[in-house]
C-alpha cells in the first residue's frame, strides 16, 4: 500500500530492493543504456523501459526512470541553462505540467500489459524514424511547442518514455544543434521533476522505488562515462547503428508476447 514503506527500516528496504524480480537484468539493461547514452547522447529510456516493463509495475518503471533522469541530468544543467532558449523550454514545460496528471491517470487505468504494448509501439516508431533519418523541415511554432510538451507529458507520465516525442518533433527542427541539445536537457529535467512531484503527491513514489533508482544509477553513471570515453567522431555512424541494434533488441525482448 502506498506510503507504508516509509515505516520500514532501512535494512528491510535494502532487502526489498535486492529482492526485486529480475534485478540482474535491470542492472544489465541500465548499464547497456548508459553506454548507449554515453556515445550517442540518447537512448536510455528506449533501452531500459521495455526491459523494465517485464519485471516492474508501470508506476515503478516511471518512478525509477524519473528519479534516474533527475540524477543523471543534474551535472548537465548549469551549461544547458546558459545555452537554452528558456522561453521555449518554459512553453514545453508548462504544457507538460498540465498533461502529466492525465498520463499518470492512464498509467493507473490501463492494464500493465497494455502499457507494455504502448511502450513497444512508441519505442519502435521512434527507432524507425531515427533509422530512416526522418526530419521535420518546417518551423517549430508556439502552438507546436505546446503540442510537443503536452504529448511528452502524457507519454512520459504513462510510460516513463520522456524523450521520444522531443527527439522526433523538436530535435528535428531548424535550430542550432547546441541550442537544441540545451533545450532538450532543460526540458527533460523539468519533465522528470514534474512527474516526480505528481507521483509524490499521489503516494505512488515509495522509498523502495527511490532506493532501486539509486541502485541502478550507480552502474548507469559508470557506464555513461565509459560510453563517453569510447566515443570517437570517426566511428559515429558505427556507434549509432550499434545503438539502434541495442534499442531494437530491447524493444523485441520487452514485447508482452514472451511473458
Amino acid at each position: 500500500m502506498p506510503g507504508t514503506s516509509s515505516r520500514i527500516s532501512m535494512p528491510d528496504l535494502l532487502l526489498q530492493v535486492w529482492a526485486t524480480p529480475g534485478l540482474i537484468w535491470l542492472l544489465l539493461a541500465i548499464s547497456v543504456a548508459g553506454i548507449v547514452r554515453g556515445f550517442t547522447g540518447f537512448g536510455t529510456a528506449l533501452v531500459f523501459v521495455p526491459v523494465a516493463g517485464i519485471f516492474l509495475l508501470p508506476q515503478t518503471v516511471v518512478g525509477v526512470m524519473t528519479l534516474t533522469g533527475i540524477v543523471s541530468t543534474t551535472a548537465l544543467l548549469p551549461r544547458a541553462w546558459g545555452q537554452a532558449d528558456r522561453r521555449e523550454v518554459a512553453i514545453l514545460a508548462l504544457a507538460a505540467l498540465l498533461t502529466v496528471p492525465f498520463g499518470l491517470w492512464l498509467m493507473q487505468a490501463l492494464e500493465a500489459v497494455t502499457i507494455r504494448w504502448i511502450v513497444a509501439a512508441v519505442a519502435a516508431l521512434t527507432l524507425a524514424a531515427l533509422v530512416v533519418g526522418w526530419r521535420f523541415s518546417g518551423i517549430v511554432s508556439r502552438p507546436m511547442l505546446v503540442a510537443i510538451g503536452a504529448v511528452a507529458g502524457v507519454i512520459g507520465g504513462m510510460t516513463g518514455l520522456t524523450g521520444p516525442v522531443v527527439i522526433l518533433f523538436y530535435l528535428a527542427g531548424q535550430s542550432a544543434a547546441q541550442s537544441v541539445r540545451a533545450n532538450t536537457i532543460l526540458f527533460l529535467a523539468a519533465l522528470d521533476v514534474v512527474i516526480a512531484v505528481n507521483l509524490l503527491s499521489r503516494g505512488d513514489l515509495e522509498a523502495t522505488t527511490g532506493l532501486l533508482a539509486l541502485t541502478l544509477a550507480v552502474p548507469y553513471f559508470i557506464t555513461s562515462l565509459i560510453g563517453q570515453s569510447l566515443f570517437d567522431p570517426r566511428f559515429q555512424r558505427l556507434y549509432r547503428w550499434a545503438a539502434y541494434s541495442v534499442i531494437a533488441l530491447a524493444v523485441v525482448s520487452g514485447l508482452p508476447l514472451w511473458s
Side-chain angles (χ1 to χ4, degrees), residues 224-239:
S224 293
L225 294 178
I226 293 173
Q228 189 176 53
S229 67
L230 291 174
F231 178 75
D232 186 329
R234 295 175 298 173
F235 304 112
Q236 183 172 348
R237 182 178 176 84
L238 175 63
Y239 292 149

Side-chain angles (χ1 to χ4, degrees), residues 132-246:
V132 302
W134 179 85
R135 291 293 182 267
F136 172 71
S137 58
I139 302 298
V140 180
S141 62
R142 182 168 296 182
M144 187 173 291
L145 284 174
V146 172
I148 293 168
V151 176
V154 173
I155 294 179
M158 178 173 52
T159 67
L161 293 170
T162 55
V165 176
V166 178
I167 291 171
L168 290 181
F169 295 100
Y170 188 49
L171 296 184
Q174 302 295 309
S175 302
Q178 177 176 279
S179 175
V180 164
R181 182 177 182 274
N183 288 359
T184 305
I185 290 171
L186 206 57
F187 170 64
L188 293 182
L191 181 54
D192 284 333
V193 171
V194 169
I195 294 174
V197 170
N198 274 271
L199 287 171
L200 280 170
S201 67
R202 293 161 54 96
D204 289 335
L205 194 57
E206 300 188 353
T208 49
T209 301
L211 283 175
L212 178 59
L214 184 61
T215 301
L216 295 172
V218 174
Y220 176 66
F221 178 77
I222 294 171
T223 56
S224 293
L225 294 178
I226 293 173
Q228 189 176 53
S229 67
L230 291 174
F231 178 75
D232 186 329
R234 295 175 298 173
F235 304 112
Q236 183 172 348
R237 182 178 176 84
L238 175 63
Y239 292 149
R240 283 188 172 271
W241 280 102
Y244 295 160
S245 300
V246 170

Side-chain angles (χ1 to χ4, degrees), residues 20 27-28 50 57 85-86 92 94 105 163 189 204 226 241 258:
T20 300
L27 289 167
L28 178 61
L57 294 173
D85 184 333
R86 293 191 289 273
L92 288 166
L94 181 59
W105 177 82
D204 289 335
I226 293 173
W241 280 102
W258 320 125

